[in-house]
Amino acid sequence: MSILALRTALVLAAALTVVSPLSAQTASRTPQPAPMAKRPPATVAELYAGARQAALKQDSKTALRQLNQAVAKGFIAAETLEQEADFISLRKLPGWVRLVGFASARQRQHESAFDPKLMALMREMRYQDQHYRHIAAEAERQYGPGSPQEQAAERAQSPLDLQLIRQVDSLITIHGYPGKSKVGEYQKSTAFLVIQHNPDEKYLPLLTAAADKGELNWSSVALLIDRTRGMKGEKQLYGSQLGPAVNGKYTLQPIEDEPNVNVRRARVGLEPLEEYLKQNYDVAYQVPTATHNPNPPELYTQPRSATEEEEESPVELIGGNEALYARLQYPAAARQQNLSGSVTLQMTIDPQGAPQNVMVVRGLGAGCDEEALRVMRAARFTNARGQDHEIRMSLPFPYVAGK
């Protein structure tokens, strides 16, 4: 969300006076100031960002006023307000209860026009997708990136992600993408959130078509584009993806044509990258020019070659690959199609040796992707350095011992 200064409304009063002919002539010869350009009304994102800044400055009155304006103007769920860490200082104020009630009432009214069963399912899916992630975010805020508390929350989230992506796949089969026309403004990004946390290129055509029809924000599609490009070892386009923290500071994954990153971000409705990184991750960043990059090299995630990974990898699969492959179950749908090949996964091995953020880089479908995720999330590694370490692994379908 953009960090923009609070827009001040100026009220100009025009006084009508009677002047003599001489005064009128004199006035006509006096240069008159050009009329002030009328500023466009503040957007919901600007109002929300302004409220965050005001809350951090302990200006509760301004923060609440802007939040009420934002809720009246857009679609901000009560749970979004309650989960925003920057609004902690507002929660004991009488105006906060009214604000949350206002947001809840607007959401109920908006969602009453849609299928109640589908809406209940979307709300439950959103809760399951976000619950432990909010706990992880709060742990990161209190204890720093990579803390044991944060990792515990991420481990609790992992089994839910597999369950949720299966639900989304079923919904897509029945409804197509469940976007704005089917679930309304508040829930149109719920399925996307689940997909983003189980990223796969196969969803991009569906989401692109949904965004083109107004069913989903293009800014959401941009995030998945960045994530899938990174999984293939390509540079991201929109700067939305961060690498692992180094010495407690996040790193930024490399960006293609970086001097024009904000041009691309603006086209899909994203704020300038320097504002996004500062506001959300306290990362100081400047957009480079074509001839000069003012950012220090350590700001960026450092790539590692495959040879370096093999020679220096501090993690080792407990039990070995053969034992891991033996746990794979060949899905019935894949068997019926006589499907064979490999599912390639990318993941981060945490200091305790548990896989985190396991993602499908190249899938097979027919249930093989889900089975590979299930087995890999249960695997354990030794981690000699005790630091997060990213790896890729390919799991064969069907697995035949000794081959």
Side-chain angles (χ1 to χ4, degrees):
M1 299 180 180
S2 9
I3 306 173
L4 299 173
L6 173 61
R7 184 172 63 92
T8 304
L10 300 177
V11 180
L12 303 178
L16 298 178
T17 57
V18 179
V19 296
S20 67
L22 178 60
S23 299
Q25 292 172 5
T26 303
S28 67
R29 291 194 298 268
T30 303
Q32 298 298 310
M36 292 180 62
K38 187 175 181 180
R39 294 184 180 182
T43 65
V44 174
E46 289 170 350
L47 289 166
Y48 192 90
R52 291 176 70 184
Q53 290 303 300
L56 291 173
K57 295 175 182 176
Q58 303 302 312
D59 186 356
S60 302
K61 183 178 180 181
T62 297
L64 284 172
R65 183 179 72 250
Q66 289 196 296
L67 284 176
N68 274 285
Q69 292 172 353
V71 170
K73 195 171 189 176
F75 302 93
I76 299 176
E79 64 184 23
T80 300
L81 299 172
E82 292 176 319
Q83 291 165 350
E84 177 61 70
D86 291 343
F87 297 151
I88 290 176
S89 62
L90 307 180
R91 294 175 186 170
K92 295 182 180 180
L93 302 178
W96 178 258
V97 176
R98 290 194 297 271
L99 171 67
V100 172
F102 179 31
S104 296
R106 274 184 55 86
Q107 183 171 357
R108 285 194 301 271
Q109 181 180 18
H110 176 77
E111 294 183 345
S112 63
F114 301 97
D115 179 6
K117 290 184 178 179
L118 181 58
M119 296 308 300
L121 175 60
M122 299 304 290
R123 283 191 288 268
E124 179 62 22
M125 288 175 59
R126 195 178 190 96
Y127 172 80
Q128 291 184 0
D129 180 84
Q130 293 292 300
H131 177 62
Y132 286 111
R133 288 188 165 90
H134 284 298
I135 293 175
E138 180 62 20
E140 178 189 326
R141 188 181 69 84
Q142 290 189 33
Y143 307 108
S147 67
Q149 294 87 344
E150 180 186 6
Q151 292 168 8
E154 290 174 348
R155 284 194 294 272
Q157 183 65 49
S158 291
L160 289 176
D161 285 343
L162 182 58
Q163 170 190 328
L164 289 169
I165 195 62
R166 288 173 174 165
Q167 286 183 302
V168 165
D169 285 341
S170 296
L171 282 173
I172 289 172
T173 300
I174 298 170
H175 300 283
Y177 181 78
K180 176 181 174 180
S181 64
K182 295 182 175 66
V183 297
E185 291 281 358
Y186 291 90
Q187 301 295 341
K188 68 182 182 182
S189 65
T190 297
F192 162 76
L193 289 174
V194 174
I195 291 171
Q196 181 184 238
H197 296 136
N198 299 268
D200 192 316
E201 275 190 308
K202 69 181 182 182
Y203 296 105
L204 277 176
L206 172 76
L207 297 180
T208 299
D212 285 341
K213 295 176 183 177
E215 295 290 327
L216 177 69
N217 292 340
W218 248 107
S219 56
S220 297
V221 183
L223 301 185
L224 186 61
I225 289 172
D226 273 357
R227 181 163 291 192
T228 55
R229 285 176 69 94
M231 288 161 49
K232 294 186 296 181
E234 299 175 356
K235 293 182 177 180
Q236 59 178 326
L237 294 179
Y238 301 97
S240 65
Q241 302 300 300
L242 300 181
V246 176
N247 297 324
K249 287 288 186 179
Y250 280 107
T251 57
L252 178 64
Q253 293 185 14
I255 302 170
E256 184 174 306
D257 186 23
E258 193 171 350
N260 290 306
V261 63
N262 279 343
V263 175
R264 294 190 295 274
R265 288 177 66 87
R267 286 173 182 164
V268 296
L270 292 170
E271 70 272 51
L273 183 55
E274 58 271 26
E275 296 180 2
Y276 167 75
L277 293 175
K278 185 63 179 176
Q279 174 70 23
N280 293 284
Y281 301 101
D282 195 27
V283 171
Y285 171 81
Q286 298 180 59
V287 177
T289 67
T291 58
H292 176 62
N293 189 340
N295 301 300
E298 56 268 25
L299 172 68
Y300 298 93
T301 306
Q302 300 303 309
R304 294 174 60 85
S305 68
T307 302
E308 288 175 326
E309 288 288 350
E310 291 177 3
E311 292 178 352
E312 302 179 24
S313 176
V315 302
E316 183 176 347
L317 179 63
I318 296 174
N321 289 350
E322 292 296 316
L324 179 74
Y325 299 159
R327 292 197 287 272
L328 291 169
Q329 299 177 14
Y330 191 36
R335 188 185 304 277
Q336 291 173 358
Q337 299 175 33
N338 196 28
L339 190 66
S340 64
S342 297
V343 176
T344 302
L345 304 173
Q346 177 173 302
M347 69 211 78
T348 299
I349 306 303
D350 70 16
Q352 286 73 42
Q356 303 293 338
N357 302 318
V358 185
M359 306 173 185
V360 175
V361 177
R362 185 166 52 250
L364 278 177
C368 295
D369 301 356
E370 291 82 358
E371 178 63 8
L373 288 168
R374 180 190 71 81
V375 169
M376 185 54 69
R377 284 169 172 156
R380 289 298 178 267
F381 295 73
T382 59
N383 190 337
R385 294 181 188 164
Q387 296 178 344
D388 286 352
H389 188 78
E390 291 189 4
I391 64 169
R392 287 189 181 190
M393 291 190 66
S394 293
L395 278 62
F397 288 89
Y399 168 65
V400 180
K403 292 188 178 181

PDB file of all heavy atoms in Angstrom, residues 208-238:
ATOM      1  N   THR A 208      -5.079 -14.881 -15.227  1.00  0.00           N
ATOM      2  CA  THR A 208      -4.959 -13.776 -16.172  1.00  0.00           C
ATOM      3  C   THR A 208      -6.309 -13.466 -16.812  1.00  0.00           C
ATOM      4  O   THR A 208      -6.708 -12.296 -16.924  1.00  0.00           O
ATOM      5  CB  THR A 208      -3.926 -14.117 -17.257  1.00  0.00           C
ATOM      6  OG1 THR A 208      -2.647 -14.317 -16.643  1.00  0.00           O
ATOM      7  CG2 THR A 208      -3.809 -12.997 -18.277  1.00  0.00           C
ATOM      8  N   ALA A 209      -7.020 -14.502 -17.224  1.00  0.00           N
ATOM      9  CA  ALA A 209      -8.344 -14.300 -17.810  1.00  0.00           C
ATOM     10  C   ALA A 209      -9.308 -13.688 -16.801  1.00  0.00           C
ATOM     11  O   ALA A 209     -10.109 -12.807 -17.134  1.00  0.00           O
ATOM     12  CB  ALA A 209      -8.888 -15.637 -18.325  1.00  0.00           C
ATOM     13  N   ALA A 210      -9.219 -14.135 -15.543  1.00  0.00           N
ATOM     14  CA  ALA A 210     -10.085 -13.577 -14.498  1.00  0.00           C
ATOM     15  C   ALA A 210      -9.793 -12.100 -14.280  1.00  0.00           C
ATOM     16  O   ALA A 210     -10.714 -11.279 -14.133  1.00  0.00           O
ATOM     17  CB  ALA A 210      -9.903 -14.354 -13.200  1.00  0.00           C
ATOM     18  N   ALA A 211      -8.513 -11.733 -14.261  1.00  0.00           N
ATOM     19  CA  ALA A 211      -8.145 -10.331 -14.066  1.00  0.00           C
ATOM     20  C   ALA A 211      -8.607  -9.471 -15.240  1.00  0.00           C
ATOM     21  O   ALA A 211      -9.078  -8.342 -15.060  1.00  0.00           O
ATOM     22  CB  ALA A 211      -6.635 -10.210 -13.877  1.00  0.00           C
ATOM     23  N   ASP A 212      -8.491  -9.988 -16.448  1.00  0.00           N
ATOM     24  CA  ASP A 212      -8.930  -9.246 -17.633  1.00  0.00           C
ATOM     25  C   ASP A 212     -10.430  -8.980 -17.611  1.00  0.00           C
ATOM     26  O   ASP A 212     -10.907  -7.981 -18.158  1.00  0.00           O
ATOM     27  CB  ASP A 212      -8.559 -10.013 -18.907  1.00  0.00           C
ATOM     28  CG  ASP A 212      -7.080  -9.932 -19.236  1.00  0.00           C
ATOM     29  OD1 ASP A 212      -6.403  -9.013 -18.715  1.00  0.00           O
ATOM     30  OD2 ASP A 212      -6.595 -10.783 -20.010  1.00  0.00           O
ATOM     31  N   LYS A 213     -11.179  -9.874 -16.944  1.00  0.00           N
ATOM     32  CA  LYS A 213     -12.636  -9.707 -16.851  1.00  0.00           C
ATOM     33  C   LYS A 213     -13.059  -8.925 -15.611  1.00  0.00           C
ATOM     34  O   LYS A 213     -14.250  -8.743 -15.377  1.00  0.00           O
ATOM     35  CB  LYS A 213     -13.305 -11.082 -16.826  1.00  0.00           C
ATOM     36  CG  LYS A 213     -13.134 -11.879 -18.108  1.00  0.00           C
ATOM     37  CD  LYS A 213     -13.736 -13.271 -17.958  1.00  0.00           C
ATOM     38  CE  LYS A 213     -13.509 -14.115 -19.204  1.00  0.00           C
ATOM     39  NZ  LYS A 213     -14.029 -15.503 -19.028  1.00  0.00           N
ATOM     40  N   GLY A 214     -12.097  -8.503 -14.793  1.00  0.00           N
ATOM     41  CA  GLY A 214     -12.437  -7.765 -13.580  1.00  0.00           C
ATOM     42  C   GLY A 214     -12.829  -8.646 -12.417  1.00  0.00           C
ATOM     43  O   GLY A 214     -13.305  -8.150 -11.386  1.00  0.00           O
ATOM     44  N   GLU A 215     -12.631  -9.952 -12.534  1.00  0.00           N
ATOM     45  CA  GLU A 215     -12.965 -10.875 -11.452  1.00  0.00           C
ATOM     46  C   GLU A 215     -11.917 -10.858 -10.344  1.00  0.00           C
ATOM     47  O   GLU A 215     -12.181 -11.280  -9.220  1.00  0.00           O
ATOM     48  CB  GLU A 215     -13.102 -12.295 -12.001  1.00  0.00           C
ATOM     49  CG  GLU A 215     -14.244 -12.491 -12.979  1.00  0.00           C
ATOM     50  CD  GLU A 215     -15.606 -12.405 -12.306  1.00  0.00           C
ATOM     51  OE1 GLU A 215     -15.703 -12.817 -11.140  1.00  0.00           O
ATOM     52  OE2 GLU A 215     -16.547 -11.908 -12.931  1.00  0.00           O
ATOM     53  N   LEU A 216     -10.715 -10.395 -10.660  1.00  0.00           N
ATOM     54  CA  LEU A 216      -9.585 -10.410  -9.741  1.00  0.00           C
ATOM     55  C   LEU A 216      -8.705  -9.215 -10.078  1.00  0.00           C
ATOM     56  O   LEU A 216      -8.647  -8.784 -11.231  1.00  0.00           O
ATOM     57  CB  LEU A 216      -8.794 -11.716  -9.932  1.00  0.00           C
ATOM     58  CG  LEU A 216      -7.518 -11.941  -9.123  1.00  0.00           C
ATOM     59  CD1 LEU A 216      -7.859 -12.129  -7.646  1.00  0.00           C
ATOM     60  CD2 LEU A 216      -6.768 -13.166  -9.643  1.00  0.00           C
ATOM     61  N   ASN A 217      -8.033  -8.660  -9.080  1.00  0.00           N
ATOM     62  CA  ASN A 217      -7.136  -7.535  -9.340  1.00  0.00           C
ATOM     63  C   ASN A 217      -5.885  -8.007 -10.080  1.00  0.00           C
ATOM     64  O   ASN A 217      -5.305  -9.045  -9.745  1.00  0.00           O
ATOM     65  CB  ASN A 217      -6.720  -6.875  -8.023  1.00  0.00           C
ATOM     66  CG  ASN A 217      -7.865  -6.171  -7.345  1.00  0.00           C
ATOM     67  OD1 ASN A 217      -8.871  -5.834  -7.971  1.00  0.00           O
ATOM     68  ND2 ASN A 217      -7.740  -5.961  -6.042  1.00  0.00           N
ATOM     69  N   TRP A 218      -5.440  -7.198 -11.038  1.00  0.00           N
ATOM     70  CA  TRP A 218      -4.230  -7.537 -11.782  1.00  0.00           C
ATOM     71  C   TRP A 218      -3.009  -7.549 -10.869  1.00  0.00           C
ATOM     72  O   TRP A 218      -2.034  -8.247 -11.119  1.00  0.00           O
ATOM     73  CB  TRP A 218      -4.032  -6.562 -12.937  1.00  0.00           C
ATOM     74  CG  TRP A 218      -4.213  -7.231 -14.261  1.00  0.00           C
ATOM     75  CD1 TRP A 218      -5.262  -7.109 -15.126  1.00  0.00           C
ATOM     76  CD2 TRP A 218      -3.316  -8.177 -14.867  1.00  0.00           C
ATOM     77  NE1 TRP A 218      -5.083  -7.918 -16.220  1.00  0.00           N
ATOM     78  CE2 TRP A 218      -3.890  -8.579 -16.094  1.00  0.00           C
ATOM     79  CE3 TRP A 218      -2.102  -8.730 -14.493  1.00  0.00           C
ATOM     80  CZ2 TRP A 218      -3.280  -9.487 -16.938  1.00  0.00           C
ATOM     81  CZ3 TRP A 218      -1.486  -9.643 -15.333  1.00  0.00           C
ATOM     82  CH2 TRP A 218      -2.070 -10.020 -16.536  1.00  0.00           C
ATOM     83  N   SER A 219      -3.051  -6.773  -9.799  1.00  0.00           N
ATOM     84  CA  SER A 219      -1.924  -6.765  -8.865  1.00  0.00           C
ATOM     85  C   SER A 219      -1.706  -8.143  -8.259  1.00  0.00           C
ATOM     86  O   SER A 219      -0.570  -8.530  -7.949  1.00  0.00           O
ATOM     87  CB  SER A 219      -2.155  -5.736  -7.756  1.00  0.00           C
ATOM     88  OG  SER A 219      -3.372  -5.983  -7.076  1.00  0.00           O
ATOM     89  N   SER A 220      -2.770  -8.904  -8.083  1.00  0.00           N
ATOM     90  CA  SER A 220      -2.636 -10.268  -7.553  1.00  0.00           C
ATOM     91  C   SER A 220      -1.911 -11.159  -8.552  1.00  0.00           C
ATOM     92  O   SER A 220      -1.008 -11.922  -8.188  1.00  0.00           O
ATOM     93  CB  SER A 220      -4.016 -10.848  -7.230  1.00  0.00           C
ATOM     94  OG  SER A 220      -4.665 -10.107  -6.218  1.00  0.00           O
ATOM     95  N   VAL A 221      -2.291 -11.066  -9.819  1.00  0.00           N
ATOM     96  CA  VAL A 221      -1.655 -11.890 -10.840  1.00  0.00           C
ATOM     97  C   VAL A 221      -0.160 -11.577 -10.918  1.00  0.00           C
ATOM     98  O   VAL A 221       0.672 -12.468 -11.102  1.00  0.00           O
ATOM     99  CB  VAL A 221      -2.328 -11.669 -12.210  1.00  0.00           C
ATOM    100  CG1 VAL A 221      -1.712 -12.584 -13.263  1.00  0.00           C
ATOM    101  CG2 VAL A 221      -3.821 -11.923 -12.117  1.00  0.00           C
ATOM    102  N   ALA A 222       0.181 -10.294 -10.751  1.00  0.00           N
ATOM    103  CA  ALA A 222       1.590  -9.888 -10.810  1.00  0.00           C
ATOM    104  C   ALA A 222       2.420 -10.611  -9.749  1.00  0.00           C
ATOM    105  O   ALA A 222       3.563 -11.002 -10.002  1.00  0.00           O
ATOM    106  CB  ALA A 222       1.700  -8.373 -10.633  1.00  0.00           C
ATOM    107  N   LEU A 223       1.858 -10.803  -8.566  1.00  0.00           N
ATOM    108  CA  LEU A 223       2.583 -11.487  -7.503  1.00  0.00           C
ATOM    109  C   LEU A 223       2.870 -12.941  -7.874  1.00  0.00           C
ATOM    110  O   LEU A 223       3.969 -13.452  -7.620  1.00  0.00           O
ATOM    111  CB  LEU A 223       1.777 -11.439  -6.199  1.00  0.00           C
ATOM    112  CG  LEU A 223       1.422 -10.060  -5.656  1.00  0.00           C
ATOM    113  CD1 LEU A 223       0.740 -10.198  -4.301  1.00  0.00           C
ATOM    114  CD2 LEU A 223       2.637  -9.171  -5.544  1.00  0.00           C
ATOM    115  N   LEU A 224       1.886 -13.609  -8.480  1.00  0.00           N
ATOM    116  CA  LEU A 224       2.101 -15.002  -8.867  1.00  0.00           C
ATOM    117  C   LEU A 224       3.097 -15.095 -10.023  1.00  0.00           C
ATOM    118  O   LEU A 224       3.898 -16.038 -10.086  1.00  0.00           O
ATOM    119  CB  LEU A 224       0.775 -15.656  -9.251  1.00  0.00           C
ATOM    120  CG  LEU A 224       0.861 -17.164  -9.527  1.00  0.00           C
ATOM    121  CD1 LEU A 224       1.334 -17.917  -8.288  1.00  0.00           C
ATOM    122  CD2 LEU A 224      -0.482 -17.709  -9.992  1.00  0.00           C
ATOM    123  N   ILE A 225       3.061 -14.137 -10.926  1.00  0.00           N
ATOM    124  CA  ILE A 225       4.044 -14.115 -12.016  1.00  0.00           C
ATOM    125  C   ILE A 225       5.458 -14.036 -11.440  1.00  0.00           C
ATOM    126  O   ILE A 225       6.361 -14.778 -11.839  1.00  0.00           O
ATOM    127  CB  ILE A 225       3.769 -12.934 -12.969  1.00  0.00           C
ATOM    128  CG1 ILE A 225       2.494 -13.191 -13.773  1.00  0.00           C
ATOM    129  CG2 ILE A 225       4.957 -12.708 -13.910  1.00  0.00           C
ATOM    130  CD1 ILE A 225       2.042 -12.003 -14.606  1.00  0.00           C
ATOM    131  N   ASP A 226       5.649 -13.140 -10.480  1.00  0.00           N
ATOM    132  CA  ASP A 226       6.967 -13.022  -9.847  1.00  0.00           C
ATOM    133  C   ASP A 226       7.382 -14.320  -9.180  1.00  0.00           C
ATOM    134  O   ASP A 226       8.529 -14.763  -9.284  1.00  0.00           O
ATOM    135  CB  ASP A 226       6.954 -11.900  -8.806  1.00  0.00           C
ATOM    136  CG  ASP A 226       7.257 -10.543  -9.414  1.00  0.00           C
ATOM    137  OD1 ASP A 226       7.529 -10.469 -10.629  1.00  0.00           O
ATOM    138  OD2 ASP A 226       7.235  -9.542  -8.664  1.00  0.00           O
ATOM    139  N   ARG A 227       6.458 -14.927  -8.475  1.00  0.00           N
ATOM    140  CA  ARG A 227       6.811 -16.124  -7.710  1.00  0.00           C
ATOM    141  C   ARG A 227       7.170 -17.284  -8.636  1.00  0.00           C
ATOM    142  O   ARG A 227       8.151 -18.000  -8.400  1.00  0.00           O
ATOM    143  CB  ARG A 227       5.663 -16.510  -6.779  1.00  0.00           C
ATOM    144  CG  ARG A 227       5.964 -17.723  -5.927  1.00  0.00           C
ATOM    145  CD  ARG A 227       5.021 -17.840  -4.746  1.00  0.00           C
ATOM    146  NE  ARG A 227       5.264 -16.790  -3.761  1.00  0.00           N
ATOM    147  CZ  ARG A 227       4.743 -16.786  -2.542  1.00  0.00           C
ATOM    148  NH1 ARG A 227       3.946 -17.770  -2.161  1.00  0.00           N
ATOM    149  NH2 ARG A 227       5.001 -15.807  -1.710  1.00  0.00           N
ATOM    150  N   THR A 228       6.389 -17.482  -9.680  1.00  0.00           N
ATOM    151  CA  THR A 228       6.673 -18.602 -10.581  1.00  0.00           C
ATOM    152  C   THR A 228       7.943 -18.350 -11.377  1.00  0.00           C
ATOM    153  O   THR A 228       8.688 -19.298 -11.677  1.00  0.00           O
ATOM    154  CB  THR A 228       5.492 -18.860 -11.531  1.00  0.00           C
ATOM    155  OG1 THR A 228       5.161 -17.660 -12.242  1.00  0.00           O
ATOM    156  CG2 THR A 228       4.269 -19.320 -10.744  1.00  0.00           C
ATOM    157  N   ARG A 229       8.229 -17.105 -11.722  1.00  0.00           N
ATOM    158  CA  ARG A 229       9.494 -16.816 -12.415  1.00  0.00           C
ATOM    159  C   ARG A 229      10.680 -17.140 -11.506  1.00  0.00           C
ATOM    160  O   ARG A 229      11.686 -17.708 -11.946  1.00  0.00           O
ATOM    161  CB  ARG A 229       9.532 -15.341 -12.837  1.00  0.00           C
ATOM    162  CG  ARG A 229       8.659 -15.015 -14.036  1.00  0.00           C
ATOM    163  CD  ARG A 229       8.673 -13.523 -14.326  1.00  0.00           C
ATOM    164  NE  ARG A 229       9.967 -13.081 -14.828  1.00  0.00           N
ATOM    165  CZ  ARG A 229      10.289 -12.979 -16.114  1.00  0.00           C
ATOM    166  NH1 ARG A 229       9.394 -13.306 -17.047  1.00  0.00           N
ATOM    167  NH2 ARG A 229      11.481 -12.549 -16.480  1.00  0.00           N
ATOM    168  N   GLY A 230      10.576 -16.787 -10.241  1.00  0.00           N
ATOM    169  CA  GLY A 230      11.650 -17.080  -9.308  1.00  0.00           C
ATOM    170  C   GLY A 230      11.867 -18.569  -9.130  1.00  0.00           C
ATOM    171  O   GLY A 230      12.998 -19.039  -9.008  1.00  0.00           O
ATOM    172  N   MET A 231      10.784 -19.328  -9.135  1.00  0.00           N
ATOM    173  CA  MET A 231      10.890 -20.772  -8.990  1.00  0.00           C
ATOM    174  C   MET A 231      11.618 -21.411 -10.173  1.00  0.00           C
ATOM    175  O   MET A 231      12.218 -22.467 -10.050  1.00  0.00           O
ATOM    176  CB  MET A 231       9.489 -21.376  -8.840  1.00  0.00           C
ATOM    177  CG  MET A 231       8.861 -21.080  -7.488  1.00  0.00           C
ATOM    178  SD  MET A 231       7.061 -21.300  -7.476  1.00  0.00           S
ATOM    179  CE  MET A 231       6.886 -22.893  -8.216  1.00  0.00           C
ATOM    180  N   LYS A 232      11.571 -20.750 -11.334  1.00  0.00           N
ATOM    181  CA  LYS A 232      12.267 -21.263 -12.523  1.00  0.00           C
ATOM    182  C   LYS A 232      13.674 -20.690 -12.650  1.00  0.00           C
ATOM    183  O   LYS A 232      14.346 -20.941 -13.642  1.00  0.00           O
ATOM    184  CB  LYS A 232      11.457 -20.921 -13.768  1.00  0.00           C
ATOM    185  CG  LYS A 232      10.109 -21.606 -13.862  1.00  0.00           C
ATOM    186  CD  LYS A 232       9.426 -21.339 -15.185  1.00  0.00           C
ATOM    187  CE  LYS A 232       9.099 -19.871 -15.372  1.00  0.00           C
ATOM    188  NZ  LYS A 232       8.399 -19.627 -16.662  1.00  0.00           N
ATOM    189  N   GLY A 233      14.086 -19.904 -11.660  1.00  0.00           N
ATOM    190  CA  GLY A 233      15.412 -19.313 -11.718  1.00  0.00           C
ATOM    191  C   GLY A 233      15.470 -18.053 -12.556  1.00  0.00           C
ATOM    192  O   GLY A 233      16.557 -17.563 -12.886  1.00  0.00           O
ATOM    193  N   GLU A 234      14.313 -17.480 -12.894  1.00  0.00           N
ATOM    194  CA  GLU A 234      14.263 -16.254 -13.685  1.00  0.00           C
ATOM    195  C   GLU A 234      14.092 -15.046 -12.770  1.00  0.00           C
ATOM    196  O   GLU A 234      13.606 -15.158 -11.640  1.00  0.00           O
ATOM    197  CB  GLU A 234      13.089 -16.313 -14.673  1.00  0.00           C
ATOM    198  CG  GLU A 234      13.172 -17.456 -15.669  1.00  0.00           C
ATOM    199  CD  GLU A 234      11.930 -17.553 -16.538  1.00  0.00           C
ATOM    200  OE1 GLU A 234      10.980 -16.771 -16.310  1.00  0.00           O
ATOM    201  OE2 GLU A 234      11.904 -18.416 -17.437  1.00  0.00           O
ATOM    202  N   LYS A 235      14.478 -13.865 -13.264  1.00  0.00           N
ATOM    203  CA  LYS A 235      14.296 -12.643 -12.496  1.00  0.00           C
ATOM    204  C   LYS A 235      12.822 -12.264 -12.449  1.00  0.00           C
ATOM    205  O   LYS A 235      12.075 -12.482 -13.400  1.00  0.00           O
ATOM    206  CB  LYS A 235      15.108 -11.504 -13.117  1.00  0.00           C
ATOM    207  CG  LYS A 235      16.611 -11.680 -13.026  1.00  0.00           C
ATOM    208  CD  LYS A 235      17.333 -10.478 -13.617  1.00  0.00           C
ATOM    209  CE  LYS A 235      18.846 -10.627 -13.466  1.00  0.00           C
ATOM    210  NZ  LYS A 235      19.578  -9.457 -14.039  1.00  0.00           N
ATOM    211  N   GLN A 236      12.412 -11.676 -11.327  1.00  0.00           N
ATOM    212  CA  GLN A 236      11.027 -11.246 -11.197  1.00  0.00           C
ATOM    213  C   GLN A 236      10.803  -9.946 -11.961  1.00  0.00           C
ATOM    214  O   GLN A 236      11.744  -9.234 -12.327  1.00  0.00           O
ATOM    215  CB  GLN A 236      10.658 -11.094  -9.728  1.00  0.00           C
ATOM    216  CG  GLN A 236      11.503 -10.095  -8.959  1.00  0.00           C
ATOM    217  CD  GLN A 236      11.053  -9.946  -7.527  1.00  0.00           C
ATOM    218  OE1 GLN A 236       9.861 -10.033  -7.217  1.00  0.00           O
ATOM    219  NE2 GLN A 236      11.981  -9.720  -6.616  1.00  0.00           N
ATOM    220  N   LEU A 237       9.522  -9.598 -12.173  1.00  0.00           N
ATOM    221  CA  LEU A 237       9.175  -8.398 -12.938  1.00  0.00           C
ATOM    222  C   LEU A 237       8.710  -7.248 -12.063  1.00  0.00           C
ATOM    223  O   LEU A 237       8.936  -6.079 -12.390  1.00  0.00           O
ATOM    224  CB  LEU A 237       8.070  -8.726 -13.949  1.00  0.00           C
ATOM    225  CG  LEU A 237       8.422  -9.694 -15.075  1.00  0.00           C
ATOM    226  CD1 LEU A 237       7.196  -9.924 -15.960  1.00  0.00           C
ATOM    227  CD2 LEU A 237       9.580  -9.167 -15.898  1.00  0.00           C
ATOM    228  N   TYR A 238       8.051  -7.547 -10.936  1.00  0.00           N
ATOM    229  CA  TYR A 238       7.380  -6.514 -10.153  1.00  0.00           C
ATOM    230  C   TYR A 238       8.007  -6.259  -8.788  1.00  0.00           C
ATOM    231  O   TYR A 238       7.534  -5.396  -8.053  1.00  0.00           O
ATOM    232  CB  TYR A 238       5.901  -6.888  -9.978  1.00  0.00           C
ATOM    233  CG  TYR A 238       5.177  -7.047 -11.298  1.00  0.00           C
ATOM    234  CD1 TYR A 238       5.004  -8.293 -11.877  1.00  0.00           C
ATOM    235  CD2 TYR A 238       4.691  -5.930 -11.983  1.00  0.00           C
ATOM    236  CE1 TYR A 238       4.365  -8.439 -13.096  1.00  0.00           C
ATOM    237  CE2 TYR A 238       4.038  -6.066 -13.202  1.00  0.00           C
ATOM    238  CZ  TYR A 238       3.880  -7.325 -13.758  1.00  0.00           C
ATOM    239  OH  TYR A 238       3.245  -7.457 -14.965  1.00  0.00           O
TER     240      TYR A 238
END
